[in-house]
Amino acid sequence: MPAAPGKGQASQRLFFALWPNAKLQTALHVAGQRLQETFGGRVVRTENIHMTLAFLGSIPAERFDELLGIGGAIRTKSFELKLTEMGCWKRSAVGWIAPESLPEPLTNLVLELRRRLLAAGFRVDDKPFAAHVTLLRKAKCRPQPARQQAPLEWCIDHFVLMRSDTLPDGPQYSQLATWPLS
Ligand code: ATP
Ligand code: MG
């Protein structure tokens, strides 16, 4: 059962994401600490580590059911990601880890989500999808050869709709709904 959206909030910042289990989040956090030795910045808190599929921004509460419909209509196979490439983007000051290649089910999942969101009148990113997990914020990125990390294997069998709240000590994410991949 999906959780109800936060009571009393007229609109909420929402996004679709892939959420690693606690064990993988811990391994990713360790990888983030290694990346921090090179690029500085702040490591993302273990429980906050995720991959964004589609960022929705601020959405009025009355559109929540539409998003449940869109999530529920997605038919994609489960798949595996091998996270191996680490780097840093100067523009966003973000240190990241990314898969060595983009599996077709992941591309399908993102394209299907974006297509359905757009058709329903939601605003979606029109930039190409850059699959990555943010590990560092406010990093001091500088040119470095691409870094290899011993593959962190991620079996992806569900995706989630999340709410993001900005608290004084950083973002807090709450799961609103989850859907299995077949
Ligand atoms: P905060 O903004 O509170 O410091 P945050 O950036 O983690 O923390 P959100 O801004 O709510 O939280 O973003 C949620 C997720 O969506 C994050 O993975 C973030 O990188 C991503 N995101 C945020 N804004 C955009 C955007 N304009 N386009 C694509 N992805 C975005
Ligand atoms: Mg943000």
Side-chain angles (χ1 to χ4, degrees):
M1 273 290 279
K7 285 226 166 61
Q9 282 176 266
S11 64
Q12 315 184 356
R13 198 151 80 245
L14 303 181
F15 60 105
F16 286 98
L18 300 176
W19 219 265
N21 65 26
K23 187 174 170 208
L24 180 57
Q25 281 181 319
T26 300
L28 287 164
H29 190 254
V30 171
Q33 287 170 323
R34 275 202 298 276
L35 202 60
Q36 189 185 35
E37 289 167 14
T38 308
F39 296 119
R42 275 191 290 108
V43 286
V44 175
R45 264 194 272 158
T46 305
E47 69 272 20
N48 280 353
I49 294 176
H50 66 274
M51 179 181 286
T52 300
L53 298 172
F55 180 73
L56 298 161
S58 192
I59 301 295
E62 58 268 25
R63 302 207 70 186
F64 182 69
D65 285 347
E66 281 178 78
L67 293 174
L68 293 185
I70 288 169
I74 300 284
R75 298 281 172 269
T76 301
K77 284 195 164 37
S78 55
F79 57 95
E80 195 171 292
L81 278 186
K82 275 191 181 40
L83 300 171
T84 54
E85 320 291 312
M86 295 210 287
C88 203
W89 286 324
K90 204 177 166 88
R91 179 179 293 220
S92 49
V94 150
W96 47 263
I97 188 165
E100 61 183 359
S101 63
L102 211 54
E104 201 175 280
L106 177 54
T107 312
N108 288 344
L109 175 57
V110 171
L111 290 181
E112 263 300 279
L113 269 175
R114 287 186 178 185
R115 191 181 65 73
R116 288 176 186 272
L117 287 167
L118 208 60
F122 290 95
R123 208 172 290 169
V124 293
D125 221 336
D126 50 9
K127 282 177 290 180
F129 174 63
H132 71 284
V133 175
T134 295
L135 299 178
L136 297 177
R137 302 269 186 187
K138 296 191 172 23
K140 293 168 204 70
C141 304
R142 57 199 145 73
Q144 279 272 319
R147 272 237 243 151
Q148 293 285 319
Q149 145 86 33
L152 292 173
E153 312 226 338
W154 188 2
C155 297
I156 294 162
D157 59 4
H158 72 290
F159 67 102
V160 293
L161 176 64
M162 302 296 294
R163 183 176 81 226
S164 167
D165 294 296
T166 305
L167 302 186
D169 63 340
Q172 184 184 64
Y173 304 128
S174 316
Q175 185 182 301
L176 300 181
T178 175
W179 296 275
L181 300 175
S182 55

